[in-house]
Amino acid sequence: MSKRIILLPGDGIGREIIGSAKTVLDAVAEKYGHTFNFEHHTIGGAAYEEHGTPLADETIEACLQADAILLGAVGGKKWDTLPPQLRPEQGLLKIRKALGLFANIRPIKGFAPLLHASPLKEEVILGSDILIIRELTGGLYFGEPRERREDGNVAVDTLLYHRTEIERIVEQAFESAMLRNKHLTSVDKANVLESSRLWREIVEEKSKAYPEVTVEHMLVDAAAMKLITDPTHFDVMVTENLFGDILSDEASVLTGSIGMLPSASLSKNIGLYEPVHGSAPDIAGKGIANPLGMILSAALMLRYSFELDKEASEIEAAVNKTLESGYHTADLDIKNGKKVGTSEMTDLVVNQIKRK
Ligand code: NAD
Ligand code: IPM
Ligand code: MN
């Protein structure tokens, strides 16, 4: 199989971990006789430095022509004082909108060797396996108006959803639930928000087409609590953009570190794969970032965009084996483990792939 993949390293640790994904994909390509051609482009602060904008039109054009996209992370102190439309984060929002990446899939499954690395009790997280489906191109992130008024002393953001936007993400969630344990939790704030009441209505309507799926509605504040008191309660969760952003960072503690969490951002035609974490300015440049969320995002790319399920599973197994051998990066709190940096962790995973 021959594929064209765009690499968007971004900023901070994004620039360090993107190479880990590429190295792992090169090893998979060699072993299975695939050809992955990589093309680098900038996004975020790096794109601002190169093009004066956090996402250049030519980058969007290249992404539209590609088979899939891998993204590191964007953001950094240097660009925090830029006008809002020039901030690195705007590059990320723009690419999601431009490519129509409405479904952000964030699987949260602990690796057995890391169960004791979570701040939560092992018996609480044992067996937890959650798929968070986050709506990614609507809600507060994109609703208009969004502005300052009255000499900057009043600020407005708008939580806006169209029926069709909710329908497509809810459908995606039901389809995912059908492939898993057929338990769907729709998270909203329908006791307060009008957009949540429309969301809940649509979930009820759509549920008629999926009688095998058990559906429950949960308010977001209660869901935030239940995620860490009773995570095995959940199978598939579906929620709007901002709730999904917050709940997925919270859920990352189940895996021991946010550095472990991959994600897939999907449109009907293309996928962009990115770890859930940010550019981690506090550790950038030190060579200690955990590359596994990025590497596992590459595995999701193989599975969802290229239907290379065997190869994807092989990467996941190689990560598991490496962790089983006691290796971990500094973000994981493991007693008596073998602490390694980004490149060493990457090599260990690659060695596992080559060995089998
Ligand atoms: P962050 O996710 O970058 O970092 C939170 C904490 O987790 C930090 O202590 C960091 O060191 C640690 N961490 C994150 N990823 C890690 C990894 N792979 N290995 C080891 N430790 C890791 O969130 P933040 O500090 O709130 O944000 C920093 C910047 O990143 C901001 O500019 C923010 O806007 C941006 N951001 C970008 C994305 C993205 O590009 N998808 C996501 C979140 C935040
Ligand atoms: C994420 C990030 C982004 C978001 C930011 C950087 C715009 O936190 O991908 O989770 O809020 O979507
Ligand atoms: Mn986030």
Side-chain angles (χ1 to χ4, degrees), residues 106 134 141 245 248-249 276:
R106 298 187 160 182
R134 168 189 176 192
Y141 281 67
D245 178 45
S248 51
D249 265 35
V276 168

Side-chain angles (χ1 to χ4, degrees), residues 47 62 95 112 176 179 231 254 258 350 352:
I95 200 165
S176 297
L179 298 172
L254 300 172
I258 192 164
V350 165
Q352 287 297 339

Side-chain angles (χ1 to χ4, degrees), residues 23-95:
T23 306
V24 167
L25 287 169
D26 282 338
V28 168
E30 193 181 327
K31 183 164 175 177
Y32 288 91
H34 302 307
T35 307
F36 297 140
N37 295 307
F38 298 97
E39 197 182 299
H40 281 81
H41 288 267
T42 52
I43 190 169
Y48 175 75
E49 302 299 336
E50 189 186 6
H51 302 286
T53 161
L55 183 67
D57 289 343
E58 63 196 65
T59 305
I60 299 176
E61 222 19 72
C63 290
L64 285 167
Q65 305 300 324
D67 293 309
I69 304 143
L70 284 175
L71 187 147
V74 300
K77 256 203 157 46
K78 186 174 175 194
W79 307 287
D80 277 352
T81 48
L82 286 172
Q85 71 279 10
L86 294 178
R87 285 187 61 113
E89 293 81 356
Q90 208 50 42
L92 194 56
L93 301 187
K94 196 171 161 192
I95 200 165

Side-chain angles (χ1 to χ4, degrees), residues 1 60 63 104 170 211 237 303:
M1 175 180 286
I60 299 176
C63 290
N104 183 221
V170 166
M237 300 175 89
R303 179 171 294 127

Side-chain angles (χ1 to χ4, degrees), residues 17-261:
I17 57 174
I18 201 94
S20 303
K22 181 179 175 299
T23 306
V24 167
L25 287 169
D26 282 338
V28 168
E30 193 181 327
K31 183 164 175 177
Y32 288 91
H34 302 307
T35 307
F36 297 140
N37 295 307
F38 298 97
E39 197 182 299
H40 281 81
H41 288 267
T42 52
I43 190 169
Y48 175 75
E49 302 299 336
E50 189 186 6
H51 302 286
T53 161
L55 183 67
D57 289 343
E58 63 196 65
T59 305
I60 299 176
E61 222 19 72
C63 290
L64 285 167
Q65 305 300 324
D67 293 309
I69 304 143
L70 284 175
L71 187 147
V74 300
K77 256 203 157 46
K78 186 174 175 194
W79 307 287
D80 277 352
T81 48
L82 286 172
Q85 71 279 10
L86 294 178
R87 285 187 61 113
E89 293 81 356
Q90 208 50 42
L92 194 56
L93 301 187
K94 196 171 161 192
I95 200 165
R96 288 172 180 170
K97 201 64 170 181
L99 302 183
L101 306 169
F102 68 91
N104 183 221
I105 315 286
R106 298 187 160 182
I108 296 117
K109 190 175 179 192
F111 285 87
L114 294 186
L115 279 182
H116 64 290
S118 169
L120 301 180
K121 292 194 192 90
E122 204 170 322
E123 64 263 30
V124 172
I125 54 176
L126 190 69
S128 58
D129 179 355
I130 306 170
L131 193 71
I132 295 184
I133 300 186
R134 168 189 176 192
E135 200 291 324
L136 202 59
T137 50
L140 272 169
Y141 281 67
F142 295 96
E144 296 287 345
R146 47 169 56 246
E147 62 195 18
R148 289 292 185 95
R149 294 176 185 161
E150 298 176 29
D151 297 330
N153 293 313
V154 172
V156 54
D157 292 290
T158 304
L159 205 181
L160 185 144
Y161 269 109
H162 293 273
R163 164 172 280 277
T164 47
E165 292 173 314
I166 304 175
E167 282 175 347
R168 65 185 179 183
I169 192 76
V170 166
E171 264 165 33
Q172 169 91 42
F174 274 105
E175 290 295 330
S176 297
M178 285 300 288
L179 298 172
R180 294 175 43 107
N181 290 328
K182 302 188 174 65
H183 176 201
L184 178 63
T185 306
S186 171
V187 177
D188 64 33
K189 187 76 185 170
N191 52 346
V192 177
L193 300 176
E194 205 48 49
S195 54
S196 283
R197 289 191 270 270
L198 175 60
W199 184 284
R200 211 174 256 222
E201 258 172 58
I202 292 171
V203 171
E204 281 300 308
E205 285 168 26
K206 290 279 167 203
S207 71
K208 297 193 177 76
Y210 299 90
E212 286 173 60
V213 177
T214 307
V215 182
E216 68 178 332
H217 302 281
M218 198 177 285
L219 297 172
V220 64
D221 44 358
M225 182 194 64
K226 206 165 177 66
L227 252 183
I228 50 174
T229 54
D230 187 14
T232 56
H233 171 84
F234 297 102
D235 175 23
V236 179
M237 300 175 89
V238 63
T239 192
E240 68 91 38
N241 205 343
L242 183 64
F243 297 162
D245 178 45
I246 297 168
L247 291 179
S248 51
D249 265 35
E250 186 195 2
S252 76
V253 302
L254 300 172
T255 68
S257 166
I258 192 164
M260 294 297 302
L261 235 55

